[in-house]
Amino acid sequence: QVQLAESGGDSVQAGGSLRLSCAASGIIVSTNPMAWYRQPPGKQREFIAGISRGGQTNYADPVRGRFTISKDNAKNTVYLQMNNLKPEDTAVYYCNFLAFGVGSRYWGQGTQVTVSS
């Protein structure tokens, strides 16, 4: 059974940093393109960052230059380093397969990130 467990969300001040983790089981992150998505309050879920099996990365414009997606294959874990956080980054953050996109029928519990000004 696939399980993607997000953690690391918190309430922080604007300009601060957080590191989110996605511990995977039932899949091997080294062989599956993975991604982070988020859903701000009152808005649709959106793609923010992806990483290929070979480590190539891609970012949505609002987070490019501030967020970094990475993975530790030995730990079977995907990370999202979030720097220079802004209030508009406030959202529930999810990890998932890149191939499924925002239309995935499976979502974990996610982790809440709240950024205050």
Side-chain angles (χ1 to χ4, degrees):
Q1 183 177 144
V2 174
Q3 186 174 54
L4 300 169
E6 302 93 342
S7 63
D10 205 352
S11 297
V12 299
Q13 295 178 336
S17 298
L18 286 172
R19 192 186 197 194
L20 307 184
S21 297
C22 174
S25 61
I27 62 115
I28 306 298
V29 301
S30 66
T31 59
N32 288 276
M34 302 297 294
W36 285 93
Y37 306 84
R38 69 184 182 187
Q39 186 168 23
K43 297 183 179 181
Q44 296 183 124
R45 185 178 287 108
E46 62 182 353
F47 165 87
I48 55 171
I51 185 166
S52 74
R53 60 179 294 170
Q56 295 291 314
T57 59
N58 187 46
Y59 300 93
D61 288 343
V63 308
R64 186 174 293 113
R66 299 188 298 120
F67 293 8
T68 303
I69 186 172
S70 63
K71 59 182 178 180
D72 185 331
N73 291 334
K75 296 181 178 179
N76 208 37
T77 299
V78 184
Y79 302 98
L80 185 69
Q81 179 66 46
M82 309 165 67
N83 296 328
N84 192 25
L85 284 161
K86 303 176 179 180
E88 49 264 46
D89 295 320
T90 295
V92 179
Y93 285 71
Y94 304 89
C95 65
N96 213 329
F97 296 99
L98 177 63
F100 288 176
V102 298
S104 176
R105 291 176 292 183
Y106 164 81
W107 298 99
Q109 188 171 348
T111 186
Q112 176 71 50
V113 172
T114 302
V115 185
S116 60
S117 59

